[in-house]
Amino acid sequence: KLSTLWRVPVIAAAIGGLAVSLLHIELWQPLWIGVKMLGDVSIPLLLFSLGVRLTDSQLGDWKISLIGAITAPATGLLMAIAAMALLGLEGRDAAMLLLFGVLPPAVLNYVFAEKYNQEPARVASLVMVGNSFSLLTIPLFIMMGAAIGKSRAGADLYNSLNRWLYKVPGGLGLANTLACSVFAAMCG
């Protein structure tokens, strides 16, 4: 029920955190340290409970998890773009919303699924595959960088930029910066 929603500890904590932030309330230092310590220890505990649940996961859960690992960031991206248009966000705010929109499913989703008995084994495998799927990009970026390094593409790009900008004061630095920017865009 929506009328009892405020009794859920996570909702109460979120409302309290927003109130402290928006009202610029300075927390008592020992209280802040205690809250931070609890927050720091909760992440390993969440991961531990997720790992325990994954021992019961079945192969059927992994198939739906793979679909979720692909669709969650895609739908998050679409929702972030829609929210940017509705809210008129630009610059850093728009970039942050896009970044958070494409993040993989959070471990906290599993905790809610476990608490409310909403297929926790399936949610656990979805969270695990979604987070593992995001790590797949690292070797792909390394492979792209190695391919650029082995081919003449890097040298050709740098030489063409250098020839284009050699008459501009600081042209060598500009060519270097632009080449690095293009490489960063291609390799992540």
Side-chain angles (χ1 to χ4, degrees):
K1 286 177 137 182
L2 287 177
S3 62
T4 60
L5 189 62
W6 65 273
R7 293 183 189 167
V8 177
V10 173
I11 301 297
I15 291 170
L18 280 171
V20 166
S21 177
L22 293 174
L23 297 173
H24 303 288
I25 298 172
E26 187 85 22
L27 284 181
W28 183 46
Q29 193 64 26
L31 176 63
W32 170 249
I33 292 171
V35 168
K36 184 173 180 345
M37 288 174 62
L38 285 173
D40 289 345
V41 78
S42 66
I43 293 172
L45 288 174
L46 288 172
L47 292 172
F48 181 74
S49 64
L50 176 65
V52 168
R53 175 53 80 168
L54 284 172
T55 60
D56 296 336
S57 293
Q58 297 175 2
L59 187 59
D61 292 336
W62 292 98
K63 292 175 186 174
I64 192 76
S65 297
L66 187 59
I67 293 169
I70 294 168
T71 58
T75 55
L77 177 66
L78 294 175
M79 291 176 68
I81 291 171
M84 283 172 28
L86 259 108
L87 299 173
L89 297 178
E90 295 177 354
R92 187 182 70 174
D93 295 333
M96 292 291 284
L97 185 61
L98 281 174
L99 177 66
F100 284 111
V102 297
L103 286 175
V107 177
L108 193 58
N109 293 342
Y110 159 71
V111 173
F112 287 127
E114 187 75 52
K115 177 168 177 45
Y116 297 109
N117 199 22
Q118 298 294 313
E119 300 182 63
R122 184 171 282 178
V123 173
S125 64
L126 174 70
V127 168
M128 189 62 191
V129 170
N131 285 289
S132 298
F133 196 73
S134 66
L135 292 176
L136 179 67
T137 59
I138 294 170
L140 294 175
F141 287 138
I142 292 171
M143 186 177 74
M144 181 68 164
I148 290 171
K150 291 283 184 184
S151 71
R152 297 229 358 116
D156 291 344
L157 175 65
Y158 183 77
N159 288 333
S160 63
L161 285 171
N162 191 25
R163 284 187 195 130
W164 184 44
L165 297 169
Y166 78 96
K167 289 187 179 179
V168 177
L172 182 62
L174 286 172
N176 193 13
T177 302
L178 287 173
C180 288
S181 298
V182 170
F183 293 142
M186 290 190 311
C187 298

